[in-house]
Amino acid sequence: MGTRLNHVPAGKFGSLIVNDDGHFAFESSAQRERFWGVNITARSAFPTEQDAEAVAGRLAKFGVNLVRFHHMDHNWGGLGLIDYSQGDSQHFNTKALQRLDYFIAQLKDHGIYTNLNLINAREFMASDGIPASIGEHEWDELDWKERQIMGFFIPEIRALEKVYAYELLTRVNPYTKLTYAQDPAIAFVEINNENSLFQQYLDGNMDLWPDSI
């Protein structure tokens, strides 16, 4: 199906836009675009080169034209985009980056666009530089999702989010010779996944926040 439906390579018509009718389209094509996508989650986002080629080919065979990379920043065990072994959440795992770059390049060659998720499962740590007004013990008692909401209140956490986004999106993928910010095959970037004050309130998590918030 992919040989009939997908743009090869993905991005051949320029960046994704919203046209005058409110539909997805591409810069150099007036044709409305539809996406048939899948989630690829956590360590599955970092396959070996052989597996990346096989997965990209199989997805294209069935007409998939979008992959959403989800929970790449996890700390659940197995390969992830952040190297938590360094004692904080501020260092990329170079092996994971190389595999992600190659996988995205393979998807692009098969006409499959990418949706990159930024903040999904990142576990912000006290060692990342939380304010002194929040005790390390208080911080450690929060789960990873509760810590993420602190980016709305704590400038230091928000700054970490910005640095992560900048460093990920502006580094050059050696296989495409483009940054993720430049590459039209990167169709979407999700800033912050399932994270709002409403969710925290309805889940009862606000009662668990440090008193200093």
Side-chain angles (χ1 to χ4, degrees):
M1 294 296 292
T3 57
R4 295 175 178 268
L5 299 175
N6 291 9
H7 308 153
V8 179
K12 68 183 294 184
F13 296 117
S15 296
L16 186 69
I17 62 171
V18 176
N19 65 18
D20 293 339
D21 294 326
H23 298 304
F24 287 131
F26 289 96
E27 289 175 312
S28 62
S29 173
Q31 181 179 354
R32 178 181 179 181
E33 181 63 27
R34 294 177 173 86
F35 292 100
W36 178 253
V38 298
N39 259 4
I40 292 184
T41 302
R43 63 183 181 182
S44 299
F46 315 107
T48 64
E49 292 187 0
Q50 182 179 4
D51 286 345
E53 295 164 6
V55 171
R58 186 165 181 82
L59 290 175
K61 178 180 179 180
F62 291 100
V64 169
N65 66 349
L66 180 70
V67 163
R68 179 177 184 244
F69 285 99
H70 196 51
H71 288 303
M72 294 189 297
D73 51 354
H74 72 94
N75 190 19
W76 303 330
L79 192 59
L81 200 54
I82 295 176
D83 184 1
Y84 291 97
S85 69
Q86 299 201 41
D88 57 34
S89 70
Q90 299 181 57
H91 297 86
F92 286 116
N93 184 308
T94 55
K95 179 180 179 180
L97 273 177
Q98 183 274 325
R99 289 189 174 190
L100 180 67
D101 286 340
Y102 189 79
F103 194 13
I104 286 176
Q106 285 296 308
L107 293 172
K108 180 177 182 175
D109 288 345
H110 285 83
I112 300 172
Y113 289 85
T114 289
N115 173 344
L116 283 176
N117 292 188
L118 297 181
I119 301 297
N120 289 151
R122 182 174 178 177
E123 185 175 348
F124 292 99
M125 299 182 170
S127 54
D128 286 321
I130 62 172
S133 59
I134 302 176
E136 183 174 337
H137 177 70
E138 284 185 296
W139 188 260
D140 289 342
E141 285 187 339
L142 300 174
D143 69 21
W144 58 271
K145 196 65 178 177
E146 292 161 7
R147 296 178 194 180
Q148 289 178 5
I149 197 71
M150 298 305 160
F152 290 110
F153 306 102
I154 301 175
E156 290 87 347
I157 300 300
R158 191 157 58 250
L160 291 173
E161 295 176 7
K162 292 178 180 179
V163 169
Y164 176 86
Y166 179 83
E167 291 183 349
L168 181 63
L169 298 177
T170 61
R171 50 176 295 283
V172 175
N173 181 335
Y175 303 104
T176 64
K177 311 304 181 186
L178 296 170
T179 68
Y180 289 154
Q182 296 169 326
D183 193 342
I186 310 298
F188 303 94
V189 177
E190 294 185 37
I191 306 298
N192 202 326
N193 176 70
E194 295 182 5
N195 198 14
S196 75
L197 295 178
F198 298 104
Q199 180 182 10
Q200 290 285 310
Y201 173 75
L202 293 172
D203 287 348
N205 289 335
M206 282 187 174
D207 295 334
L208 304 176
W209 292 359
D211 293 338
S212 57
I213 299 299

